[in-house]
Amino acid sequence: MHILSVATVIFACLLATGSAEQAHAGQSRLWSAYDSVLSNAKYIDLTHTIEPAMPIWRGFGNITFSQAVNKLTGKPFAYNKDLFVANAYQLTTDQMGTQLDAPAHFNPYFAASDEIP
């Protein structure tokens, strides 16, 4: 088994993906890269838990967690009145935590997430 870093996986995907047209033509280079490198790899979970103190690029605002508020009363939901409680999350971006961007994130002519086999 191989132990691969996230950078190795990203590099392999970028090399193998090419354009969207290439991805749809027969056996794509991405599948070849998967078969030869990634299919037998050991994966290590590097996921960041979504929480207020999680790492976010400095260009984006912080995320906030709070109690969800009943818009009819203006007060947080409570077990004794509403029979449940709920949380509210304000996410300033979808670019947070651990993620792997599709090649199109960096170049509009490369494959988008839905075009990667």
Side-chain angles (χ1 to χ4, degrees):
M1 290 195 153
H2 299 97
I3 297 177
L4 299 175
S5 69
V6 172
T8 303
V9 173
I10 292 169
F11 183 70
C13 289
L14 287 174
L15 282 178
T17 302
S19 70
E21 291 172 3
Q22 291 170 331
H24 294 290
Q27 170 124 7
S28 73
R29 294 183 336 189
L30 182 60
W31 276 119
S32 297
Y34 174 80
D35 288 337
S36 65
V37 178
L38 304 175
S39 65
N40 295 314
K42 176 180 178 184
Y43 296 91
I44 300 170
D45 184 2
L46 301 174
T47 306
H48 289 282
T49 301
I50 296 176
E51 59 185 359
M54 70 186 299
I56 297 178
W57 180 64
R58 67 178 184 259
F60 298 122
N62 292 329
I63 61 174
T64 58
F65 290 24
S66 60
Q67 293 178 295
V69 174
N70 182 331
K71 64 182 182 178
L72 300 176
T73 65
K75 297 181 180 179
F77 292 102
Y79 288 117
N80 61 346
K81 292 184 179 183
D82 304 300
L83 304 178
F84 71 96
V85 295
N87 295 314
Y89 307 97
Q90 182 168 353
L91 309 176
T92 57
T93 180
D94 63 349
Q95 302 287 310
M96 61 185 182
T98 306
Q99 65 181 50
L100 178 63
D101 286 318
H105 182 74
F106 305 100
N107 185 319
Y109 298 106
F110 290 168
S113 298
D114 63 332
E115 297 172 321
I116 297 174

